[in-house]
Amino acid sequence: MAASDVATALPFGSLTRPDNLPDEIALQIRGKIVSKAFEPGQRLPTEFELSQIFGVSRNVVREAIARLKLSGYIETRRGVGSFVATDAGQQHFALTPQELLQADALEQVYELRVEIEAGAAALAARHRTAAQLATLREALAKVDASTDDWRIGADRAIDFHMAVGEATNNPYFVRLLGHFSRVIGDAVRTLRYSSTGTDRMKQIETEHHQIFDAIAAGDSEAARAAMRRHLEHGMKRRKAMLKEKQ
């Protein structure tokens, strides 16, 4: 099937963020690559065809293509065109805030976060040092002290989760959790804002203490379960919020 035929058979969505067109176009193309609508090795529509499809200039399309090439999703061949990379998206792991504008993607990222952070809590219970436990205790106290300020509270909650990651003494967990924290920061702030002044805040406080207590006790399975429970409750609340907006 020709690239132009593929573009017709697999229509793209309308652009909703005129302030960042290259990123949005790259996101839509990446979505079709990830879903296998565009197969590895398949030639993409030309810059001209994409500019017509999206109603933008070829320069905008060129910037979007450059982003996809940099992130390892496509490869370009001079005089021939752009093709889906054979190992598309596997060269390095990355999430973008734009991906989380989609409810399904946000839910999937939260599911991934649950599995990773639950494992991090279990490792922290086994490997944390006395100094790291003290840092974790201090981070927890700061979260408790910011109950009434959702902005500060969200940032301190992220710091608490990062302190759990540090306590694994595994630099790869630290790097991955740091990436998650940067990308989902807005979602965490939204949840914190919606929870302030509700019974959920007391529940969050209790859950954080349960995580800390399990890590302090060196109980890896209790720490894993406590972190999983905490994040799944947050994911459940996020889903409820999204349904209310529909």
Side-chain angles (χ1 to χ4, degrees), residues 183-194:
V183 174
I184 67 172
D186 286 343
V188 172
R189 293 180 188 94
T190 298
L191 281 173
R192 193 80 181 188
Y193 172 77
S194 68

Side-chain angles (χ1 to χ4, degrees), residues 117-133:
E117 289 207 43
L123 286 175
R126 290 201 296 268
H127 301 307
R128 56 85 181 165
T129 65
Q132 288 167 337
L133 185 62

Side-chain angles (χ1 to χ4, degrees), residues 121-168:
L123 286 175
R126 290 201 296 268
H127 301 307
R128 56 85 181 165
T129 65
Q132 288 167 337
L133 185 62
T135 297
L136 194 57
R137 182 182 289 108
E138 182 180 354
L140 179 61
K142 289 181 178 179
V143 177
D144 291 344
S146 59
T147 301
D148 297 328
D149 190 319
W150 65 268
R151 289 185 181 84
I152 295 177
D155 291 342
R156 289 181 174 173
I158 290 173
D159 290 343
F160 173 76
H161 283 262
M162 281 302 302
V164 173
E166 293 282 354
T168 66

Side-chain angles (χ1 to χ4, degrees), residues 4-233:
S4 57
D5 294 333
V6 171
T8 301
L10 300 169
F12 292 92
S14 59
L15 299 177
T16 59
R17 302 181 66 230
D19 60 318
N20 205 339
L21 292 175
D23 279 345
E24 186 170 356
I25 291 171
L27 175 62
Q28 289 201 32
I29 296 174
R30 183 165 61 243
K32 291 192 181 298
I33 293 173
V34 171
S35 68
K36 303 300 182 182
F38 286 155
E39 297 285 349
Q42 183 174 340
R43 183 174 179 271
L44 296 179
T46 66
E47 285 184 4
F48 174 75
E49 288 171 330
L50 287 172
S51 70
Q52 295 296 303
I53 291 167
F54 288 109
V56 299
S57 71
R58 293 180 67 170
N59 283 338
V60 171
V61 170
R62 197 168 293 120
E63 288 184 40
I65 294 298
R67 284 161 169 71
L68 290 166
K69 184 178 180 181
L70 183 63
S71 58
Y73 284 91
I74 68 169
E75 56 190 20
T76 56
R77 302 173 193 170
R78 184 178 296 276
V80 180
S82 299
F83 295 78
V84 179
T86 54
D87 56 350
Q90 297 177 17
Q91 295 182 24
H92 67 270
F93 175 81
L95 294 169
T96 66
Q98 288 77 25
E99 287 178 287
L100 304 188
L101 295 175
Q102 303 174 22
D104 289 347
L106 182 60
E107 181 178 342
Q108 291 167 345
V109 169
Y110 262 87
E111 289 174 348
L112 179 61
R113 184 188 177 204
V114 168
E115 299 304 322
I116 291 173
E117 289 207 43
L123 286 175
R126 290 201 296 268
H127 301 307
R128 56 85 181 165
T129 65
Q132 288 167 337
L133 185 62
T135 297
L136 194 57
R137 182 182 289 108
E138 182 180 354
L140 179 61
K142 289 181 178 179
V143 177
D144 291 344
S146 59
T147 301
D148 297 328
D149 190 319
W150 65 268
R151 289 185 181 84
I152 295 177
D155 291 342
R156 289 181 174 173
I158 290 173
D159 290 343
F160 173 76
H161 283 262
M162 281 302 302
V164 173
E166 293 282 354
T168 66
N169 285 295
N170 182 324
Y172 297 101
F173 267 96
V174 176
R175 286 166 57 184
L176 187 54
L177 291 178
H179 181 60
F180 271 120
S181 296
R182 288 190 297 275
V183 174
I184 67 172
D186 286 343
V188 172
R189 293 180 188 94
T190 298
L191 281 173
R192 193 80 181 188
Y193 172 77
S194 68
S195 299
T196 299
T198 70
D199 291 340
R200 173 59 185 153
M201 284 307 304
K202 187 175 292 293
Q203 185 181 23
I204 290 172
E205 183 176 330
T206 297
E207 289 166 0
H208 280 156
H209 280 266
Q210 289 171 342
I211 294 166
F212 173 81
D213 290 344
I215 292 174
D219 190 334
S220 61
E221 290 311 307
R224 186 193 305 275
M227 181 65 82
R228 176 179 294 278
R229 186 165 53 248
H230 170 57
L231 295 176
E232 286 181 343
H233 285 165

